[in-house]
Amino acid sequence: MSDHVTIVEVGPRDGLQNEPYTIPTEVKIELIERLADTGLGVVEATSFVAAPAIPQLADAEEVFGRIQRKPGVRYPVLVPNEKGYERARQVGADEIAVFTAASEAFNKKNINCTIAESLQRFAPVLERARADGVRVRGYVSTVLGCPYQGEVPVAEVVRVAEALHEAGCAEISLGDTIGVGTPAKARTMLETVAKSVPMEQLAVHFHDTYGQALANIHACLDAGVRVVDSSVAGLGGCPYARGATGNVATEDVVYMLNGLGMKTGIDLMALARVGDWIAGELDRPRSRTGQAILKRS
Amino acid sequence: MSDHVTIVEVGPRDGLQNEPYTIPTEVKIELIERLADTGLGVVEATSFVAAPAIPQLADAEEVFGRIQRKPGVRYPVLVPNEKGYERARQVGADEIAVFTAASEAFNKKNINCTIAESLQRFAPVLERARADGVRVRGYVSTVLGCPYQGEVPVAEVVRVAEALHEAGCAEISLGDTIGVGTPAKARTMLETVAKSVPMEQLAVHFHDTYGQALANIHACLDAGVRVVDSSVAGLGGCPYARGATGNVATEDVVYMLNGLGMKTGIDLMALARVGDWIAGELDRPRSRTGQAILKRS
């Protein structure tokens, strides 16, 4: 099994999208560029979802158009539909991500359509991406639980992951959106999906709502996954509930991977400095690893 | 392998001992009693270390003498020497804990003696405990790294754990005092020690300094450990560095164990309420699980 793990840094998109105060475009650009400078190979840059849905990322064109892209680094962007695809392509995006959920109730609330409808909505985007040679990542959320319907059967996760895979997604990210999963369940879910979609094309995306993210990631690494989503400084979630946490912090993931002897190509100290800077900009807490190693150094 | 895990709740002792402001004796007593009411089987109540060393726990006699002990719950107390043993026994303590480190440098700084000297210092305490039918737990700290000497060879951990075991300790708690360990190293360390001391007599004690505690605990559960130390609300560590974390939060551990289908006998919601209350008393952040389930309920 490979000892290389690809981190998909989702801070600039998933991390920022729910921040309540408008973050200056300059800060977003600086964040993306500084992240790419730490050795990260994939930095999800922004989202071309309609501005009224996610006002924080309404400057997607400007952000994506202005970043200095580093050779060898991939900068996927979130795309909800053909309109979004066109906007993304106009500013030169060459890798996109589409999203749906394994829970009907969540899709209904979140994107106001059924799972089947969301897959249909992506179909023309995926066709054009294929024709354009654009790599597509597919996000499946609520893979271990849903805030509206509770339990999500693994069979549903498999069905959605399979559909995205067959529709041409090069990678499927399995997201525990509400952070309720624990290691054995996470591993079983991943292994079940991996019977239908090759493990090399799967990624895991955990949230730290109950503090379980790293334990889940470790269990999934044991099962063979080699792509992990995370967010610098744990950006995301609800920053104004004291102590609340959202995405797992990239610093904590890289610290663990280093300890496990796995390779990421990331300079952890440089990453911690970026985390420290953006946490300061957004007045959010630092990651635990960031705080520990910066205090030490 | 048993599916029952014993949680050793160390909040009232390890969690409070470094709090800079004096906590009222009443609060300490209430904390211990409320913790025992959640179904916890072991609550480390206080420490009979000399008051100048740990002023926060200078009221150990009063705390221990006044708690209403619940039948079936064990209340170990920390004891550094014969003097401490006598103080503890005078107020009716029937279970004690002694402590040393696997790092010579740490022992020198922390208790101003070599490992060998610390073991000698405990010898008369352990003899009296045996004669008195008092159960003894032994703490070994810095098992995965030391703030002064860096690396700690596993052979040193084995040597100290063996010595405590031979001296009559019924249980040895292996502590990653500075939280630097990662899952594979933690598991290897545990499995190596378990070649000399039966796994049933080992406990693990992790700190969340780098966010690794739950991942480490999960790896050690996989290796067979069934006793885990933790601290309600993650009490301990340095509470005034924003975002800093010390002991792993009991709520996060119990949430994971529940998800793994393991039994603890603990009412997680009741525990979260205790965590919420004590975090409020000490003006500290809540545990992640506590915050998540109390918001939900």
Side-chain angles (χ1 to χ4, degrees), chain A residues 208-230:
Chain A
D208 233 352
T209 324
Y210 295 77
Q212 310 295 311
L214 272 196
N216 293 344
I217 290 170
H218 182 248
C220 290
L221 289 169
D222 252 6
V225 85
R226 288 295 178 269
V227 185
V228 176
D229 297 1
S230 62

Side-chain angles (χ1 to χ4, degrees), chain B residues 143-144 154 157-158 172 174 183-199 201-204 206 216-217 219-227:
Chain B
V143 297
L144 289 165
V154 179
V157 182
V158 172
I172 320 283
L174 303 166
K185 288 177 189 169
R187 182 182 183 139
T188 300
M189 180 276 298
L190 173 68
E191 287 176 332
T192 309
V193 176
K195 288 180 193 155
S196 301
V197 179
M199 188 67 90
Q201 290 180 260
L202 295 175
V204 290
F206 288 111
N216 292 345
I217 290 170
C220 289
L221 290 167
D222 252 5
V225 85
R226 288 295 177 268
V227 185

Side-chain angles (χ1 to χ4, degrees), chain A residues 214 252 255 288-289 292-293 296, chain B residues 178-180 208-212:
Chain A
L214 272 196
D252 292 351
Y255 182 87
R288 287 166 294 180
T289 293
I293 64 177
R296 237 181 20 175
Chain B
I178 55 172
V180 293
D208 233 353
T209 324
Y210 295 77
Q212 310 295 310

Side-chain angles (χ1 to χ4, degrees), chain B residues 8-271:
Chain B
V8 175
E9 168 60 49
V10 299
R13 195 277 306 172
D14 194 17
L16 299 187
Q17 66 183 12
N18 293 321
E19 287 286 310
Y21 304 113
T22 307
I23 301 160
T25 302
E26 301 299 335
V27 170
K28 295 174 186 168
I29 293 170
E30 185 175 346
L31 176 60
I32 296 163
E33 292 181 346
R34 288 182 67 168
L35 286 167
D37 282 339
T38 67
L40 278 158
V42 190
V43 181
E44 195 176 66
T46 186
S47 164
F48 289 88
V49 166
I54 304 188
Q56 183 63 259
L57 302 181
D59 57 358
E61 271 93 348
E62 193 181 351
V63 167
F64 200 87
R66 284 179 52 201
I67 48 170
Q68 290 283 340
R69 284 193 259 174
K70 215 180 155 84
V73 177
R74 290 155 41 201
Y75 300 88
V77 296
L78 210 66
V79 154
N81 50 32
E82 282 197 86
K83 177 80 196 305
Y85 182 78
E86 281 160 15
R87 288 174 58 207
R89 291 291 288 161
Q90 249 159 22
V91 288
D94 53 12
E95 178 161 343
I96 64 165
V98 297
F99 52 96
T100 185
S103 147
E104 289 289 2
F106 190 83
N107 259 348
K108 271 273 160 58
K109 280 261 189 184
N110 201 40
I111 50 178
N112 197 30
C113 64
T114 65
I115 297 173
E117 283 164 359
S118 79
L119 295 170
Q120 281 161 18
R121 199 182 284 175
F122 295 144
V125 173
L126 289 165
E127 258 174 59
R128 291 178 65 171
R130 194 178 310 123
D132 296 343
V134 165
R135 187 180 194 270
V136 185
R137 159 174 251 241
Y139 280 105
V140 185
S141 56
T142 65
V143 297
L144 289 165
C146 168
Y148 310 113
Q149 75 180 48
E151 292 284 315
V152 174
V154 179
E156 287 295 287
V157 182
V158 172
R159 196 170 63 82
V160 176
E162 265 179 339
L164 288 171
H165 179 61
E166 281 162 22
C169 288
E171 184 171 290
I172 320 283
S173 171
L174 303 166
D176 180 13
T177 314
I178 55 172
V180 293
T182 43
K185 288 177 189 169
R187 182 182 183 139
T188 300
M189 180 276 298
L190 173 68
E191 287 176 332
T192 309
V193 176
K195 288 180 193 155
S196 301
V197 179
M199 188 67 90
E200 306 78 59
Q201 290 180 260
L202 295 175
V204 290
H205 183 114
F206 288 111
H207 282 226
D208 233 353
T209 324
Y210 295 77
Q212 310 295 310
L214 272 194
N216 292 345
I217 290 170
H218 181 249
C220 289
L221 290 167
D222 252 5
V225 85
R226 288 295 177 268
V227 185
V228 176
D229 296 2
S230 62
S231 177
V232 66
L235 297 181
C238 179
Y240 298 94
R242 193 175 155 196
T245 45
N247 285 294
V248 66
T250 309
E251 298 93 313
D252 293 351
V253 176
V254 173
Y255 181 88
M256 182 174 78
L257 292 169
N258 288 348
L260 294 171
M262 309 201 90
K263 311 281 182 283
T264 62
I266 297 164
D267 176 342
L268 179 56
M269 190 58 79
L271 181 70

Side-chain angles (χ1 to χ4, degrees), chain A residues 2-284:
Chain A
S2 161
D3 68 349
H4 186 272
V5 174
T6 299
I7 299 283
V8 175
E9 168 60 49
V10 299
R13 195 277 304 171
D14 194 17
L16 298 186
Q17 66 185 11
N18 294 320
E19 286 285 310
Y21 304 113
T22 306
I23 300 159
T25 303
E26 301 300 335
V27 170
K28 295 173 186 168
I29 293 169
E30 185 175 348
L31 176 60
I32 297 163
E33 293 181 347
R34 287 182 67 169
L35 285 168
D37 282 339
T38 67
L40 278 157
V42 191
V43 181
E44 196 176 65
T46 186
S47 164
F48 290 89
V49 167
I54 304 188
Q56 183 63 260
L57 302 182
D59 58 357
E61 272 93 347
E62 194 181 352
V63 168
F64 200 88
R66 285 178 52 201
I67 49 169
Q68 291 283 338
R69 284 192 260 173
K70 212 178 157 84
V73 177
R74 291 155 42 202
Y75 300 87
V77 296
L78 211 65
V79 154
N81 51 30
E82 281 197 87
K83 178 81 196 306
Y85 182 78
E86 282 160 15
R87 287 174 59 207
R89 291 292 288 160
Q90 251 158 21
V91 288
D94 53 12
E95 179 161 344
I96 64 165
V98 298
F99 52 96
T100 186
S103 148
E104 288 291 3
F106 191 84
N107 259 348
K108 269 275 159 59
K109 281 259 189 185
N110 200 40
I111 52 179
N112 196 29
C113 64
T114 65
I115 296 173
E117 283 164 359
S118 80
L119 295 170
Q120 282 160 17
R121 199 182 285 176
F122 296 144
V125 173
L126 289 165
E127 259 173 59
R128 291 178 66 171
R130 195 179 306 123
D132 296 344
V134 165
R135 187 180 193 271
V136 185
R137 158 175 252 241
Y139 279 105
V140 185
S141 55
T142 64
V143 297
L144 290 165
C146 168
Y148 310 114
Q149 75 180 46
E151 292 284 315
V152 174
V154 179
E156 287 296 287
V157 182
V158 172
R159 197 170 64 80
V160 177
E162 266 179 340
L164 289 171
H165 179 60
E166 280 161 22
C169 287
E171 184 170 290
I172 320 283
S173 170
L174 303 166
D176 179 13
T177 313
I178 55 171
V180 292
T182 42
K185 289 178 188 168
R187 182 181 183 140
T188 300
M189 180 276 299
L190 172 68
E191 287 176 333
T192 308
V193 176
K195 288 179 192 156
S196 301
V197 179
M199 187 66 91
E200 307 78 59
Q201 290 179 260
L202 295 176
V204 290
H205 183 114
F206 289 111
H207 282 226
D208 233 352
T209 324
Y210 295 77
Q212 310 295 311
L214 272 196
N216 293 344
I217 290 170
H218 182 248
C220 290
L221 289 169
D222 252 6
V225 85
R226 288 295 178 269
V227 185
V228 176
D229 297 1
S230 62
S231 178
V232 66
L235 297 182
C238 179
Y240 298 96
R242 191 175 156 197
T245 46
N247 286 293
V248 66
T250 309
E251 297 93 313
D252 292 351
V253 176
V254 173
Y255 182 87
M256 182 174 77
L257 292 169
N258 288 349
L260 294 171
M262 310 202 88
K263 310 280 183 283
T264 62
I266 297 164
D267 176 342
L268 179 56
M269 190 57 81
L271 181 69
R273 279 189 218 104
V274 178
D276 187 60
W277 162 74
I278 192 66
E281 287 287 327
L282 306 181
D283 192 24
R284 285 184 54 113

